[in-house]
Amino acid sequence: MSSGLHNLSTVLKRLEAVASRLEDVYNVSQTAQVIHDEPDPNAQARAAAAAAAGPPPVHPPPPPAPVEQPLSVIAFEAQIMQGKVKPFIKLTDALAVPSVIEQAKKTGDLFNTLNGLIKTAGACKKPDPNAFAELLLGFQPDIESITKIKDSSKERDWVHHLSMLSEGASCIGWVAENKPGPFVNDIKDSSQFYGNRIIQNFKEKDPKHVEWVRAYMEILDELKKYIMEHHTTGLVWNAKGITISQYQASAGGGPPPPPPPPPAVIPAPNSGAPAGGHAALFADLSRGEDVTKGLRKVDKNEMTHKNPALRGGSTVPSTPGTSAVAPKKPIKPSKPHALMGKKPSKFALEGSKWVIEYQENEKSLIVENGELNQIVSLFGCKNSTIVIKGKVNAVTIVNCTKTSVLVGSVIASVSVTNSPSFTLQITGSAPTIQLDSTDSGQIYLSKDCLGVEITTAKCSSINVSLPVEGEEDGVFEEKPVPEMLRTLIQGGKLVTTVVEHVG
């Protein structure tokens, strides 16, 4: 009995503990509810601050990735502009008089314009000749300024400096040449003429002038090297590029022009209509008697066998109800090439270049007193004789036929291109004779010109007449230039020799 009471008291104590625990939990939950229902005094302040701050800032989209420039553009900027032109201008500022400094700055502007043209070519497809000519007009102001500075300067001690820069400015013209490398080399030779005089005059007095000349010549050498690497046969354009107008619009900040509208949709022809030609003919024949329903009845006054007055003409006058079709005008035949207008001839000294063009049947054209910086250019002459007196820088003969050239001495080279049946006589000396795409030519050399180097490409029937030793002047021995070559493979290389005929 006592054990049962003990168990009952134990159960009651446990129930009291559970009830007390439940009361504590209930009180805590009520307190939390009261705290949650009370308003937050700082809530309105935080909301007002958020409203005043406005929406979060919108960050602009990242700029587009820069377009990768062609290697030719990067190379010109690094090799020419940064590597040669800017150091030359800096050297000029520390050495020269104001007129030469100004001329050097104009030279830098000229190369900057060239840099812009190269960037344009790297981004654009090749334009038509008119658009390209407009681009070349950008060089004109700087070239005129360089020439004007030289002509107006009164600095006698700096005349060769000004002349050297003026002659070298023409190197920009390589962008319009098919063989830009040799073109720049010719311009360098003309400029080097004045550079050599500067070196001769200042070699002992002030070696900085010698350094200045060499710095400018390095520009031309580096330009030729750059051209032979990136623009061997002329200025290279981007075949997949945009047009010039689109490039100029994007460079100026404006949007590119919209693309052209799509072509109009032409409705497909009705499959039920007969096609032209034989199909239309058979379709009409299959109509039977209905084929004549569209014909007009001919009146008696329109019948030639009933109206003798109509027999004198080849056409029947139209009636008021019919419309006459105007006969087609005959096509005017084009003139044959031989009857086309003859281009005007030209014989003039333009700067340091003798321009002789389209001379025909002229036997007494003489270039008097040729100078070391002058180039003689013959183009399109026919059956003519040109005499060049003095010592000139170079002679070029292009697209001439049966043309004879007598020249004294040449510093650089004599070049003959696509000029059949030519005759060339050198009475002085010349280091190089270049023949290209020319057939049937005769070359006479003097005793002073026996060290010349003759190069030929795609030529035939070329003979060289050499003076006979021990004989009087005018006695020559003719030697043919070999045309037959033999090529062997030796050690993985091609070895070419001239085929010699014995017997």
Side-chain angles (χ1 to χ4, degrees), residues 339-397:
L339 298 179
M340 290 184 178
K342 182 180 177 182
K343 294 185 178 180
S345 59
K346 189 174 185 179
F347 186 91
L349 176 61
E350 298 180 352
S352 61
K353 184 177 183 180
W354 282 96
V355 180
I356 305 174
E357 296 180 349
Y358 304 111
Q359 301 289 340
E360 188 170 349
N361 299 322
E362 295 288 344
K363 301 298 182 181
S364 59
L365 294 175
I366 301 176
V367 176
E368 295 282 358
N369 301 323
E371 298 182 0
L372 297 179
N373 66 318
Q374 293 179 348
I375 298 175
V376 181
S377 174
L378 282 72
F379 184 85
C381 298
K382 184 177 181 180
N383 196 25
S384 299
T385 301
I386 294 91
V387 179
I388 304 172
K389 296 183 178 181
K391 191 173 186 178
V392 297
N393 186 277
V395 178
T396 61
I397 306 171

Side-chain angles (χ1 to χ4, degrees), residues 19 28 88 115 148 167 173 207 383 480:
V28 171
F88 172 75
N115 191 15
K148 186 177 180 180
E167 288 293 327
N383 196 25

Side-chain angles (χ1 to χ4, degrees), residues 73 76-77 81 110-120:
V73 176
F76 187 86
E77 179 68 28
M81 299 303 299
L110 192 64
F111 275 89
N112 279 328
T113 306
L114 176 60
N115 191 15
L117 179 59
I118 291 176
K119 290 180 180 179
T120 302

